[in-house]
Amino acid sequence: MSDQSSLEQASPKQSSFEQFEVRVRQAAQAFPYPATPNLAAAITQRIAAKSARPELYRQRLALSVACGLLILFGAVMTTPPARTRLLEMLGLGAGQTQLAEPTPTLISPTMTITGLPSPTSRLLTATPQPAATPSSSTSATTNISRQVAELIVYAPALPPQSTRIYP
Amino acid sequence: MSETEPTIITRAQSGDETAWETLVGHYQEMAFRLAYLLMGDADEAKDVAQEAFIRAFRALGRFDTTRPFRPWLLSIVTNLARNRQRAMGRYLAALRRMILAEPETAAGDQHETAAKRQAHILWQAAQKLNPADREIVYLRYFMELAEVETAAILEIAPGTVKSRLHRALKRLQDLVKRDFPALREEYEG
C-alpha cells in the first residue's frame, strides 16, 4: 500500500520509474522463447522408469550386501584369532590354550612381642586365577615322600643256580 | 480442458494416466518457459520442467484440489531451477550466462524484430539481478502472473511481492542505465 501511494504521488523521478515499468512490461511480452518441446511422452517414460527402479535397486542392494558379507567372512577367516573366535561362536570346535602365571603367595610374618608369629599375622596376597584355566591349576599337590613310600620296586629274581660246568 | 481442473486432478490422483497427460499438456509450455527464463538454456529448461512434472506427479496424492494447480507447479519449477543453479555454482552460472548471450531462437532468424531484441537485452539485464529480484521480475513481467499467484509461487505475502517488485525494478533500472546503453537509448529515446 505504501508503494502504491508513493507511486501515485507524481514527481519527475517517479514518473520516470513508472515509465520504465511500462517499458519493461511491454518488452517482456515480446521475449523470444524457444519452441516448447513435447514433455508429456518423456515425462511418462521417466515416471515409468523411476517406478521400475525400486526392484532393480533392491536387487543391487541385496547383491552388494552379499558381496560385503563375503569379503568380511574372508577377512575373518584369514585372521587366526578372529577365525578361532568365530569357530568358537559357531560351535565348530576350537581349542584354546591360555597361559597364566603361577599364583604368587607372599607370606609376610609380622613378629609379635613374644617373637612368635601370631595366627593372624600371616598375610596372604594372591592373585585370583581365572576359573577355566586347567593347565595352571595348582590345587592338587603331591606328597613326594608318600609317593616314594608307596613305590614298589620289583627287582629281578636271582638267576637259578647252574649245575652245569663249563670247560 | 473441457473438464474442470479439480476434476482432472482428482482423476490423475486416482491413477488416470490420460488425466495426468492432460495436465502436462496444458501446463508444459508455462513450466518450460519459466524454466528457460531462470536457466537461460533450452536443454536445461526442458530437464527442469520434466523433473518438476515428475515431482508434481509424485506429490499429487497430497495436493489439495481446492487450490490452483498452476502456482503449485510453478513453485516446483522455481525451486528446482534455484537448486540447480546453486549446485552449478555462482561463477559457473555467470559464465554460462555470458556464453549464452544470444537467444537460441535467434540462430538463423535474420528478421528478428526490434521488440524481440529489446526483450532479450532486458532478460540479459535481469539475469544480472540477485535471484530473488530476478524471479519476481520474470514471474510478474515475463510470465505476466498476478500478484497473488506470484506470492503463492514464491511463498511470500502479496504485500511483499509489491515491495520486492518495486525494489527489483529500481535495481533493474539502475543496471540498464549503467550497463545496457542500447536499452537505455531505446527507453529514453
Side-chain angles (χ1 to χ4, degrees):
Chain A
M1 289 301 280
S2 61
D3 290 328
Q4 189 68 35
S5 59
S6 65
L7 286 172
E8 279 167 4
Q9 290 168 2
S11 75
K13 197 178 177 182
Q14 282 167 340
S15 68
S16 143
F17 179 77
E18 282 177 348
Q19 204 179 357
F20 178 74
E21 187 182 9
V22 172
R23 293 268 189 174
V24 166
R25 199 183 291 275
Q26 283 171 349
Q29 285 169 7
F31 184 74
Y33 294 99
T36 305
N38 185 16
L39 301 175
I43 290 165
T44 313
Q45 220 170 17
R46 277 177 70 174
I47 288 171
K50 280 197 174 181
S51 49
R53 208 169 286 173
E55 188 57 39
L56 188 71
Y57 175 75
R58 251 179 257 131
Q59 284 174 358
R60 280 187 185 167
L61 186 74
L63 191 69
S64 356
V65 167
C67 285
L69 284 173
L70 199 68
I71 291 165
L72 188 72
F73 182 73
V76 165
M77 292 310 276
T78 52
T79 318
R83 183 177 58 221
T84 310
R85 187 97 181 146
L86 180 71
L87 291 174
E88 201 179 57
M89 276 168 63
L90 294 173
L92 293 176
Q96 192 176 13
T97 307
Q98 285 184 351
L99 296 173
E101 292 292 319
T103 309
T105 307
L106 178 68
I107 300 166
S108 169
T110 311
M111 301 307 288
T112 57
I113 297 167
T114 57
L116 294 169
S118 69
T120 55
S121 67
R122 293 170 70 88
L123 296 173
L124 280 165
T125 53
T127 310
Q129 285 186 349
T133 51
S135 62
S136 65
S137 174
T138 54
S139 58
T141 54
T142 306
N143 190 333
I144 295 168
S145 60
R146 186 185 166 94
Q147 289 296 318
V148 169
E150 284 179 359
L151 183 71
I152 301 161
V153 179
Y154 292 98
L158 290 169
Q161 280 194 338
S162 176
T163 53
R164 198 165 166 188
I165 299 165
Y166 294 94
Chain B
M1 285 201 292
S2 54
E3 286 177 282
T4 58
E5 191 177 272
T7 316
I8 296 170
I9 294 169
T10 310
R11 283 206 293 123
Q13 279 175 331
S14 58
D16 186 339
E17 279 184 28
T18 320
W20 172 246
E21 279 170 16
T22 308
L23 278 173
V24 173
H26 190 71
Y27 290 112
Q28 64 178 3
E29 187 176 71
M30 192 150 249
F32 173 75
R33 286 185 167 194
L34 178 59
Y36 180 75
L37 285 170
L38 294 165
M39 299 304 295
D41 176 58
D43 289 332
E44 289 270 2
K46 186 182 171 186
D47 216 35
V48 166
Q50 276 183 11
E51 190 61 35
F53 275 110
I54 289 165
R55 292 206 182 184
F57 178 79
R58 293 246 165 113
L60 202 62
R62 298 191 300 273
F63 179 71
D64 178 8
T65 49
T66 59
R67 293 172 66 193
F69 184 77
R70 192 166 77 170
W72 182 64
L73 176 72
L74 295 184
S75 74
I76 298 173
V77 172
T78 310
N79 287 332
L80 277 174
R82 204 183 287 159
N83 291 347
R84 195 167 282 218
Q85 278 181 329
R86 203 175 292 153
M88 206 189 288
R90 219 164 141 192
Y91 296 104
L92 189 65
L95 185 71
R96 202 171 54 82
R97 280 201 298 271
M98 218 166 71
I99 294 164
L100 297 167
E102 288 301 312
E104 304 207 347
T105 46
D109 187 1
Q110 298 295 318
H111 308 286
E112 191 188 18
T113 62
K116 280 184 179 176
R117 197 172 57 246
Q118 199 178 328
H120 184 254
I121 299 169
L122 181 70
W123 172 76
Q124 280 182 311
Q127 285 279 308
K128 293 197 170 217
L129 292 170
N130 67 52
D133 289 347
R134 199 160 60 213
E135 283 167 10
I136 208 155
V137 166
Y138 290 156
L139 290 169
R140 283 289 282 133
Y141 299 123
F142 285 77
M143 302 295 293
E144 299 174 72
L145 297 176
E147 255 172 27
V148 179
E149 216 168 357
T150 305
I153 293 166
L154 297 176
E155 293 167 3
I156 53 174
T160 313
V161 170
K162 212 175 270 187
S163 58
R164 194 182 282 183
L165 188 67
H166 187 266
R167 273 201 304 274
L169 214 54
K170 188 80 196 76
R171 287 189 189 118
L172 185 64
Q173 192 179 22
D174 294 341
L175 204 68
V176 165
K177 276 181 187 169
R178 199 180 61 230
D179 300 335
F180 294 86
L183 203 62
R184 189 184 59 210
E185 281 166 23
E186 292 260 9
Y187 285 3
E188 286 175 358

